[in-house]
Amino acid sequence: MDRQKQRELLRLLEQDSRLTPEQIASLLAEPVETVRETIARLEADKVIVKYPALINWELVEDHPYVTAMIDVKVTPKRDVGFDEVAERICRFPEVKAVYLMSGASYDLSVVLEGKTMREVAAFVSQKLATLDSVVSTATHFILKRYKHDGIQFEDRDEDHRMVVTP
């Protein structure tokens, strides 16, 4: 499969990971076996990492977690830069994502889930801030999700108010 068709296949799976190889083959005008082989190769090469469902947890009763985004200022180490401290942060089970950032006043952005704000605060003060290379942190709690991974969570009804002009 050529690179352009492969990118189309990846976009299709990104939009709906439940598509079958038969459906993808039909959409791409490719043989089903070619699609199966391409998907298997992309999975083996870790281009396709996982097929997640996107859940709107705000609609799930008694969802016990809060999500925080933590800005982390780090002193990079010689020969390994930010990678070593990022890998250490990734090992914590509470950590959902770690990103190296550019153009910001911090170096790493850490997404964390905890049962309470107090639990997140304890993680930051007892585990994250105590790492050798960490210079400072700033914690931001997510209060509401409007859009995630290109999906808007709330479909707003059209505005039916009457337009008033002077």
Side-chain angles (χ1 to χ4, degrees), residues 4 26 30 48 55 73 88 106 109 117 145-146 148 160 162:
Q4 182 163 344
S26 174
E30 289 283 335
I48 298 174
I55 311 298
K73 183 76 176 156
R88 288 188 67 194
Y106 56 93
S109 180
M117 288 184 181
R145 293 174 200 253
Y146 294 97
H148 183 80
H160 297 288
M162 185 184 313

Side-chain angles (χ1 to χ4, degrees), residues 30-147:
E30 289 283 335
V32 175
E33 193 53 39
T34 301
V35 170
R36 281 195 179 104
E37 290 170 1
T38 303
I39 291 172
R41 184 175 38 76
L42 291 169
E43 289 171 344
D45 292 345
K46 303 290 186 212
V47 173
I48 298 174
V49 181
K50 191 175 181 180
Y51 297 93
L54 181 58
I55 311 298
N56 185 352
W57 286 107
E58 291 180 13
L59 299 179
V60 177
E61 263 186 64
D62 300 326
H63 176 59
Y65 294 101
V66 295
T67 305
M69 297 181 77
I70 305 164
D71 303 336
V72 184
K73 183 76 176 156
V74 176
T75 303
K77 290 189 175 180
R78 184 181 301 255
D79 298 328
V80 293
F82 298 103
D83 293 346
E84 184 179 286
V85 71
E87 288 169 11
R88 288 188 67 194
I89 293 170
C90 287
R91 288 189 206 123
F92 292 110
E94 305 94 320
V95 172
K96 300 302 172 196
V98 178
Y99 305 100
L100 178 62
M101 304 302 290
S102 71
S105 59
Y106 56 93
D107 304 303
L108 298 174
S109 180
V110 177
V111 179
L112 178 84
E113 232 178 42
K115 290 183 181 173
T116 63
M117 288 184 181
R118 181 167 292 164
E119 186 177 282
V120 171
F123 172 85
V124 172
S125 65
Q126 296 168 11
K127 295 180 180 178
L128 187 59
T130 60
L131 295 176
D132 289 339
S133 298
V134 173
V135 175
S136 66
T137 64
T139 303
H140 312 277
F141 288 96
I142 295 177
L143 303 177
K144 182 175 182 179
R145 293 174 200 253
Y146 294 97
K147 189 174 184 178

